[in-house]
Amino acid sequence: MPGTIKKHAEERMEKAIQALKRDLATLRAGRATPALLDRIQVEYYGSLTPLNQLANINTPDSRTLMIQPWDKSSLSDIERAIMKSDLGLTPANDGMNIRLSIPPLTEERRVELVKMTKKYGEESKVAIRNIRRDANDDIKKLEKTDISEDESRRHQDDVQKMTDKYIAEVDKVLAAKEKEIMEV
């Protein structure tokens, strides 16, 4: 029973790391990547739809994103959604496609992005600690019926080691992203 609790906790911690990587991919680091547009929701026929479900997104070069909508009538909706987003990019509409030029990052914007990166990292650490708390609570419940106090302590120590490992992984992912952002 404690083994399944620990396995479930580890799976959830792994998902927290994957969510952090997904969130960090949406932060602009000076290069054009379709992942920048993952969080953009477009109001399309009365409902919010992810941009990648409405258009093909390409990177013709390292500083440009090209959005080719499947339905040309959605061009203005896509353009509006990009303008409302926190990307700080201005779309250029040529009637068929939308081009986004990614300007080089200023030092001020880099510092701001590093702060956002740290915020995402802190949220991930909190999620991992909450998973640890849940696993420890489940182990303590088992202590009342199925396992001894010593076994409970040993399993809680294993959960703590797992937590420390995933917190270190968060720090490693954050350091890599910060290095990428601060590169000139």
Side-chain angles (χ1 to χ4, degrees), residues 39-107:
R39 289 185 291 160
I40 294 188
Q41 299 279 319
V42 179
E43 173 116 9
Y44 186 64
Y45 289 113
S47 65
L48 289 177
T49 307
L51 176 58
N52 59 8
Q53 292 181 12
L54 296 174
N56 192 17
I57 303 168
N58 297 316
T59 52
D61 60 58
S62 65
R63 296 258 182 226
T64 308
L65 282 171
M66 183 165 16
I67 303 165
Q68 300 168 312
W70 294 309
D71 178 8
K72 301 302 178 204
S73 67
S74 66
L75 258 165
S76 61
D77 295 332
I78 292 171
E79 200 172 10
R80 199 172 311 114
I82 292 169
M83 295 285 265
K84 278 195 229 175
S85 73
D86 62 349
L87 290 176
L89 299 175
T90 305
N93 180 347
D94 66 6
M96 298 289 282
N97 302 314
I98 295 175
R99 287 186 184 277
L100 293 173
S101 294
I102 311 292
L105 293 173
T106 63
E107 187 64 28

Side-chain angles (χ1 to χ4, degrees), residues 10-26:
E10 187 164 21
E11 288 170 358
R12 290 177 58 203
M13 287 181 187
E14 186 61 42
K15 286 179 183 176
I17 296 289
Q18 296 306 319
L20 172 65
K21 288 178 180 176
R22 237 184 354 266
D23 287 343
L24 291 180
T26 65

Side-chain angles (χ1 to χ4, degrees), residues 118-175:
K118 289 181 180 184
K119 183 184 107 189
Y120 285 136
E122 199 52 47
E123 289 170 359
S124 293
K125 288 179 181 180
V126 167
I128 289 170
R129 290 180 190 122
N130 286 339
I131 295 166
R132 174 191 61 194
R133 184 197 62 225
D134 294 344
N136 283 340
D137 288 348
D138 291 343
I139 290 170
K140 287 175 186 174
K141 286 177 188 170
L142 285 178
E143 183 183 326
K144 294 176 183 170
T145 57
D146 295 340
I147 61 175
S148 70
E149 196 174 316
D150 289 340
E151 281 181 282
S152 171
R153 194 76 198 114
R154 193 171 38 253
H155 291 300
Q156 289 178 39
D157 289 343
D158 291 344
V159 170
Q160 182 59 48
K161 287 176 188 166
M162 187 184 348
T163 302
D164 294 341
K165 178 180 110 178
Y166 281 101
I167 296 271
E169 178 73 18
V170 166
D171 289 336
K172 191 168 78 172
V173 169
L174 289 178

